[in-house]
């Protein structure tokens, strides 16, 4: 006969015991730590503040001297630390007021499919991977045409007062409402009319966002065996990690993290060998084949239990994402490249930019979405994450902290882009049509690399970029065998760039992703241990694959989020769809979602002049209009909670977002500048069609322009009008709440928690002691993460 002995419980000092909050069963569920300011802490924050001030002074005020990109990294880190420690904590204490004695939806429902109490580190990885799509990589690179300062300021200060606040508050308020989607919360808080409009328009805009994200991923992986192999390997590795955490070592992430990381590195390194082997031919997939692969994967990731594929894969992706950005940041510190762009270029103040049309206001704020403020993030914050978060107090480091990490990605991408020579940057980002118009040439996809390089050199030389009037000339430095450097200029420089990165040509490689890859390769190949000219090609293709992995993680998570949005919407009329445990409903709504964005994506790869190419210009505005809806809903919630004196917290970013998106929409709809206005472009195309002088090829182009601009203009009117109606309905609801002193809320009733988890990403000493106690006295189902039988409660 054996007697089971229970591990000893930790002992607490009197001061520690006072900080522990227990439920009626005596189980620890929360901590009320005593914060103490010490001379060392004060000195630390003084140093951080001084460093940040020096960095911003250098970036914003120093003129006439070279600006080292190391100050981008210093300014960002110091500002993030201050924003997280002081402003985010202030917002948490005023309009959130987390209560860890209240059970989260993950604890209450815990059905093992969508609702699953997930280790905070794994969930942080999932959340970051889900929100970090193409935006923080591509947007800052495109916006570099305006200079380094506007983008840097918007990315860093925007995340502090706008993006981080939106993500954190939406996550918290969704968690308080059973993990409901943004659209459903809009209907509950604003009312049936405004809320229903929000439900429909947000879902429509989300399909555009998903299709564009998927298209960028397809373009990155098409005909790239290395990328397909490495990204594809993350799926079986994630399945292994999910099963390990579920059944072998529940809750123990150290070992599985090490194994997953080693396997990921092996897949990345081995991918190059596989691509060059006979097996590579089978992985040389066409864009169409990749579309079907992504649709199938998106469906599977959205219906399988989150712990099996989605969460571990996103956590695994975070290793590569964060690791690569950290390596890039370290590279910037070691190599210390100089910013080649001035603080402001002439394109910040006119619509003549060759990369995209539009002046600094409002188009900087539309081009750089993710990284500063993104509506897609609100969908994730009201989608998967609130259904998996363990404790309410974790919302700050997951919601706000996750957004800070994405913002740092955007800063690193911007620094890499502005460190490139101006001639190389603009040659890569000007379309063939723009090059032909500026240079008076007729290059096409069949032109040779030298022909493209000559035309691009002529074109960029005619650009009025710099306020001092200096001419733009492509330049590229190469390292000689004896270690000395040699400067190459003109068309030869563009040809040398292509040779170094292993491409036939880098001219007109638009979209931002190839530019970032060249910028990263140019920095990393100068680091002695991992560098050398021979490594340029490796780092370039590694960066392309890295970007594809970044984006795919957002596609799978947002597909699941869109399913929640659709389920909640249908659930208003067919209540069973609102039950998160009803498998038929989840499969049906997922099929509708993937069919919607998959059809748009398929149109894009089969008809280059239509489909997603038609919708791409709407991506930035649609994304920011979703953010406007999210911030509107949060503003109404803050008022209805009785926090009227603090309503400026969500109202400030809402005003900024509405001002920029509505102005951009107005210009895109009504401007008579053919570089901006959809209807002006439509009228010009119709005039050319009516001239009767076009050949067959030109006729097809103008017909596509007329069709595309008509769709773009119509959808722009529909989207901005719908969001305006939501704003009006929200204003009426706020006025009624204040007038009637309405204290009602759509929050779920308080339910006592029986679970404990630390509030910090890295557990503090007392938190580790309480964790050890809970491991002995806690609920085994919650400890192991095994799903309980679904409760009657639904989201």
């Amino acid at each position: 006969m054996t007697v089971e002995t229970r591990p000893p419980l930790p002992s607490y000092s009197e001061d520690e015991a006072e900080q522990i909050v227990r439920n009626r069963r005596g189980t620890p569920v929360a901590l009320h730590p005593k914060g103490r300011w010490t001379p060392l802490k004060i000195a630390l924050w003084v140093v951080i503040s001084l460093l940040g001030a020096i960095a911003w002074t250098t970036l914003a005020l120093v003129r006439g001297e070279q600006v080292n990109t190391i100050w981008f990294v210093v300014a960002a880190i110091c500002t993030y630390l201050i924003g997280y420690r002081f402003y985010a904590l202030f917002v948490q204490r005023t309009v959130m007021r987390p209560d860890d004695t209240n059970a989260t939806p993950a604890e209450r429902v815990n059905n093992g499919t969508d609702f699953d109490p997930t280790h905070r580190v794994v969930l942080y990885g999932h959340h970051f991977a889900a929100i970090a799509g193409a935006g923080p990589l591509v947007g800052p690179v495109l916006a570099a045409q305006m200079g380094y300062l506007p983008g840097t300021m918007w990315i860093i200060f925007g995340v502090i007062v706008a993006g981080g606040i939106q993500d954190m508050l939406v996550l918290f308020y969704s968690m308080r409402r059973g993990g409901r989607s943004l659209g459903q919360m809009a209907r509950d808080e604003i009312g049936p009319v405004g809320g229903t409009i929000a439900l429909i328009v947000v879902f429509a805009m989300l399909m555009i966002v998903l299709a564009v994200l998927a298209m960028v991923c397809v373009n990155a992986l098409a005909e790239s065996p290395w990328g397909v192999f490495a990204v594809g390997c993350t799926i079986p590795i994630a399945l292994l990690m999910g099963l390990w955490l579920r059944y072998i070592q529940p809750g123990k992430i150290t070992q599985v993290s090490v194994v997953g990381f080693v396997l990921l590195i092996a897949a990345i390194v081995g991918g190059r060998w596989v691509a060059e082997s006979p097996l590579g031919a089978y992985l040389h997939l066409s864009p169409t084949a990749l579309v079907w692969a992504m649709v199938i994967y998106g469906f599977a990731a959205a219906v399988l239990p989150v712990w099996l594929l989605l969460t571990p894969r996103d956590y695994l992706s975070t290793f590569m994402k964060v690791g690569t950005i950290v390596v890039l940041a370290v590279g910037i510190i070691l190599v210390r490249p100089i910013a080649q762009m001035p603080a402001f270029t002439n394109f910040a103040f006119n619509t003549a930019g060759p990369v995209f049309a539009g002046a600094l206001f409002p188009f900087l704020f539309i081009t750089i979405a993710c990284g500063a403020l993104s509506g897609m993030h609100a969908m994730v914050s009201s989608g998967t994450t609130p259904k998996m978060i363990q404790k309410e107090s974790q919302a700050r480091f997951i919601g706000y902290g996750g957004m800070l990490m994405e913002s740092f990605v955007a800063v690193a991408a911007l620094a890499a882009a502005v460190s490139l020579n101006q001639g190389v940057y603009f040659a890569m980002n000007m379309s063939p049509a723009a090059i032909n118009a500026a240079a008076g040439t007729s290059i096409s996809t069949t032109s040779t690399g030298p022909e493209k390089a000559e035309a691009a050199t002529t074109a960029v030389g005619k650009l009025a970029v710099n306020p001092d009037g200096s001419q733009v000339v492509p330049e590229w430095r190469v390292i000689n065998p004896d270690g000395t450097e040699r400067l190459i200029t003109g068309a030869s420089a563009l040809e040398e760039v292509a040779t170094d990165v292993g491409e036939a040509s880098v001219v007109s490689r638009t979209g931002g992703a190839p530019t970032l890859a060249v910028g990263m390769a140019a920095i990393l190949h100068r680091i002695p241990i991992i560098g050398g000219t021979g490594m340029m090609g490796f780092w370039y293709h590694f960066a392309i694959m890295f970007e594809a992995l970044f984006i795919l993680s957002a596609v799978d998570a947002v597909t699941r989020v869109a399913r929640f949005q659709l389920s909640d919407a249908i659930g208003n009329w067919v209540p069973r769809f609102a039950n998160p445990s009803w498998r038929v409903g989840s499969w049906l709504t997922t099929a509708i979602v993937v069919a919607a964005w998959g059809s748009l994506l398929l149109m894009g790869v089969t008809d280059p002049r239509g489909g997603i190419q038609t919708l791409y210009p709407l991506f930035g505005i649609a994304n920011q209009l979703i953010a406007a809806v999210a911030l509107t809903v949060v503003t109404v919630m803050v008022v209805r909670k009785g926090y009227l004196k603090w309503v400026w917290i969500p109202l400030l970013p809402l005003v900024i977002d509405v001002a920029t998106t509505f102005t951009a929409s107005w210009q895109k709809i009504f401007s008579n500048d053919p570089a901006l206005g959809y209807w002006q472009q439509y009228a010009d195309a119709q005039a050319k069609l009516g001239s009767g002088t076009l050949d067959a090829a030109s006729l097809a182009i103008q017909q596509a322009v007329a069709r595309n601009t008509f769709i773009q203009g119509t959808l722009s009117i529909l989207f901005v009008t719908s969001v305006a109606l939501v704003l009006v309905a929200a204003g009426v609801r706020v006025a009624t709440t204040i007038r009637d002193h309405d204290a009602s809320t759509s929050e779920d009733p308080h339910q006592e928690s029986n679970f404990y988890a630390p509030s910090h990403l890295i557990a503090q000493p007392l938190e580790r002691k309480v964790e050890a106690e809970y491991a002995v006295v806690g609920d085994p189902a919650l400890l192991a993460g095994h799903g309980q039988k679904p409760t009657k409660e639904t989201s």
Side-chain angles (χ1 to χ4, degrees):
M1 179 178 178
T2 60
V3 178
E4 292 187 6
T5 59
R6 193 171 72 168
L9 298 178
S11 59
Y12 303 104
S13 67
E14 184 176 341
D15 183 62
E16 289 176 332
E18 290 178 357
Q19 298 180 53
I20 302 173
V21 180
R22 301 178 182 274
N23 62 14
R24 289 176 295 177
R25 303 178 182 87
T27 304
V29 294
L31 284 180
H32 285 318
K34 298 178 180 178
R36 298 181 180 89
W37 280 100
T38 64
L40 182 61
K41 286 184 179 180
I42 295 172
L44 176 63
W45 286 109
V46 169
V47 170
I48 291 172
S49 300
L50 289 175
L51 272 176
I54 293 171
W56 279 114
T57 300
T58 303
L59 292 175
L61 300 180
V62 172
R63 294 290 182 271
E65 295 187 19
Q66 293 180 326
V67 174
N68 197 303
T69 51
I70 193 174
W71 294 114
F72 290 72
V73 176
V74 175
I77 293 175
C78 292
T79 308
Y80 295 155
L81 291 173
I82 293 171
Y84 181 81
R85 171 57 182 83
F86 296 100
Y87 188 57
L89 185 60
F90 166 76
V91 173
Q92 176 178 279
R93 290 173 175 174
T94 52
V95 299
M96 291 168 59
R97 307 183 187 185
D99 178 8
D100 282 346
T101 67
N102 185 30
T104 64
E107 178 185 349
R108 287 190 282 111
V109 181
N110 194 18
N111 62 12
T113 302
D114 299 314
F115 293 80
D116 186 61
T118 303
H119 193 285
R120 64 196 182 281
V121 176
V122 177
L123 184 58
Y124 180 89
H126 158 74
H127 183 80
F128 169 70
I131 65 174
L137 299 174
V138 174
V141 174
L142 301 181
Q145 79 162 2
M146 294 182 175
Y148 70 77
L149 188 56
T152 302
M153 293 185 67
W154 169 235
I155 290 168
I156 296 177
F157 291 116
V159 74
I160 297 297
V161 301
I165 296 300
Q166 175 205 250
D167 292 13
M168 179 174 65
L169 292 183
V170 171
L171 170 59
F172 182 80
Y173 286 132
S174 173
M175 178 178 56
R176 280 279 177 95
R177 288 159 178 79
R180 295 189 190 103
S181 65
L182 176 64
Q184 186 59 41
M185 288 193 296
R187 195 174 191 277
D188 294 341
E189 293 291 331
I190 298 175
V193 177
T196 300
I197 295 173
L199 267 171
I200 296 171
V201 73
V202 166
F203 183 80
M205 291 189 291
L206 191 60
M207 293 302 100
I208 294 175
V209 171
L210 269 168
V212 172
L213 289 175
M215 187 65 181
V216 177
C217 189
V218 167
N219 289 338
L221 291 179
E223 302 176 355
S224 174
W226 183 9
V228 169
F229 176 80
V231 173
C233 282
T234 62
I235 298 174
I237 296 173
L239 292 171
L240 173 65
M241 293 174 66
L243 292 169
W244 187 322
L245 281 172
R246 194 72 171 183
Y247 299 113
I248 300 175
Q249 289 185 313
K252 306 294 184 182
I253 67 167
T254 302
Q255 295 89 331
V256 75
S257 298
V258 171
V259 171
F261 178 75
V262 170
L263 291 175
L264 176 62
I265 296 300
I268 294 169
V269 175
R272 191 177 194 180
W273 176 82
V274 171
E276 296 170 353
S277 72
L279 183 61
Y282 298 97
L283 300 176
H284 197 271
L285 301 182
S286 67
T288 303
L290 280 170
V291 169
W292 288 109
M294 290 189 66
V295 166
I296 294 170
Y297 169 74
F299 180 88
V303 298
L304 289 174
V306 287
W307 58 265
L308 180 59
L309 176 58
L310 185 68
T311 304
R313 188 192 174 282
D314 288 348
Y315 176 58
L316 181 67
S317 300
T318 299
F319 281 120
M320 182 175 174
K321 292 179 177 182
V322 175
T324 302
I325 292 302
V326 169
V327 169
L328 177 58
V330 171
I332 291 172
I333 294 172
L334 295 178
V335 177
R336 299 186 298 281
I338 301 299
Q340 302 298 310
M341 289 287 182
F344 294 90
T345 69
N346 293 327
F347 300 137
F349 309 105
N350 59 43
T351 62
V355 179
F356 66 91
L360 191 156
F361 180 84
F363 288 99
L364 172 75
F365 306 92
I366 303 302
T367 305
I368 300 179
C370 303
L373 173 67
S374 171
M376 189 202 74
H377 295 189
M379 306 306 298
V380 177
S381 295
S382 61
T384 53
T385 308
K387 298 175 177 64
M388 296 187 284
I389 194 167
Q390 296 171 318
K391 306 299 290 186
E392 290 189 356
S393 59
Q394 295 175 351
R396 181 164 69 110
F397 78 75
I398 291 176
Y400 199 90
M403 184 59 192
L404 290 181
M405 178 57 72
E406 176 172 336
S407 181
F408 187 66
V409 171
V411 169
L414 180 63
V418 301
S419 68
L420 279 177
N421 166 260
Q422 289 184 355
V424 174
Y425 171 85
F426 284 107
M428 292 189 68
N429 287 284
M430 291 178 70
S431 68
I435 290 176
N436 289 334
T441 57
S442 57
I443 65 167
S444 65
T445 54
T446 59
S447 300
T448 64
E451 289 173 341
K452 293 179 180 179
E454 287 289 349
T457 300
T458 303
V460 300
K462 295 182 179 181
L463 296 177
V465 178
N466 300 305
D468 62 5
S470 59
Q471 187 181 25
V472 175
V473 179
E475 295 181 350
W476 192 250
R477 293 186 179 276
V478 296
I479 303 175
N480 296 317
D482 61 0
T484 60
E485 286 192 350
R486 177 166 48 96
L487 180 65
I488 303 176
T489 61
S492 298
L494 296 177
E495 294 179 50
E496 184 64 32
V497 175
T499 300
D500 285 350
V501 300
E503 294 287 337
S505 173
V506 293
V507 174
S508 292
R509 296 297 302 273
T510 57
T515 304
L516 175 59
V518 171
M520 289 178 62
I523 293 172
L524 297 180
H525 92 283
R526 292 180 178 272
I527 300 176
I529 300 177
I530 57 176
T533 303
M535 290 295 290
M536 279 283 292
F538 171 86
W539 285 117
Y540 174 83
H541 289 92
F542 174 87
I544 293 291
M545 180 194 62
F546 155 76
E547 292 166 10
L549 182 62
F550 232 91
I551 298 162
L552 186 60
S553 298
V555 171
D556 56 19
V558 179
T559 297
R560 197 179 195 102
V561 167
R563 185 253 285 183
F564 294 145
Q565 176 92 1
L566 185 59
S567 296
D568 283 348
I570 299 175
N572 290 299
W573 295 278
V574 184
R576 194 170 185 187
F577 274 90
N579 183 352
S581 300
W582 187 38
R583 186 170 299 174
V584 174
S586 66
W587 283 52
L588 180 60
T589 50
T590 302
I592 295 173
V593 168
V594 296
W597 65 257
S599 60
L600 292 175
L601 181 59
L602 190 60
M603 287 167 59
V605 300
T606 56
D607 178 13
R609 293 195 182 98
I612 195 60
Q613 301 297 337
T614 303
L615 301 175
Y616 187 82
L618 292 171
F619 168 75
I621 292 177
N623 189 44
Q624 299 305 71
L625 286 175
I626 295 175
V629 173
L631 289 166
T632 299
V633 173
V634 169
T635 300
V636 173
M637 290 176 177
V638 169
V639 173
R640 294 188 69 193
K641 282 289 290 182
Y643 306 146
L644 184 60
K645 64 182 292 187
W646 306 116
V647 72
W648 59 267
I649 292 172
L651 192 59
L652 174 62
L654 174 60
V655 170
I656 296 172
D657 188 47
V658 169
T660 54
T661 51
F662 277 50
T663 302
S665 297
W666 179 272
Q667 291 186 15
K668 296 298 287 185
I669 295 169
F670 295 109
S671 176
N672 56 11
D673 184 343
L676 286 180
Y678 290 137
W679 295 112
Q680 183 62 49
Q681 295 168 14
Y682 174 77
D684 292 347
Q686 290 286 51
K688 291 177 182 178
L689 289 171
S691 67
T693 60
L694 301 178
D695 56 29
S698 299
L699 181 67
I701 291 174
Q702 293 305 318
Q703 287 174 336
V705 170
R707 179 181 66 248
N708 294 351
T709 51
F710 179 83
I711 294 172
Q712 291 163 347
T714 302
L715 287 178
S716 291
I717 294 172
L718 175 63
F719 289 161
V720 76
T721 302
S722 299
V723 175
L725 291 174
V726 173
L727 289 169
V728 171
V732 171
R733 187 55 184 257
V734 167
T736 303
T737 299
I738 296 173
R739 183 195 64 198
D740 298 341
H741 303 287
D742 183 8
S744 62
T745 177
S746 62
E747 286 187 5
D748 292 342
H750 184 282
Q751 182 172 323
E752 186 179 61
S753 175
N754 193 41
F755 180 64
Y756 176 77
S759 299
H760 299 87
L761 187 64
I762 301 175
Q764 304 299 304
L766 180 56
E767 289 178 323
R768 288 195 292 269
K769 291 178 70 172
V770 179
E771 266 193 304
E773 178 186 349
Y774 188 80
V776 177
V777 304
D779 184 346
L782 292 172
L783 280 168
H786 295 299
Q788 300 169 334
K789 292 181 179 180
T791 66
K792 294 180 179 179
E793 206 170 343
T794 69
S795 67

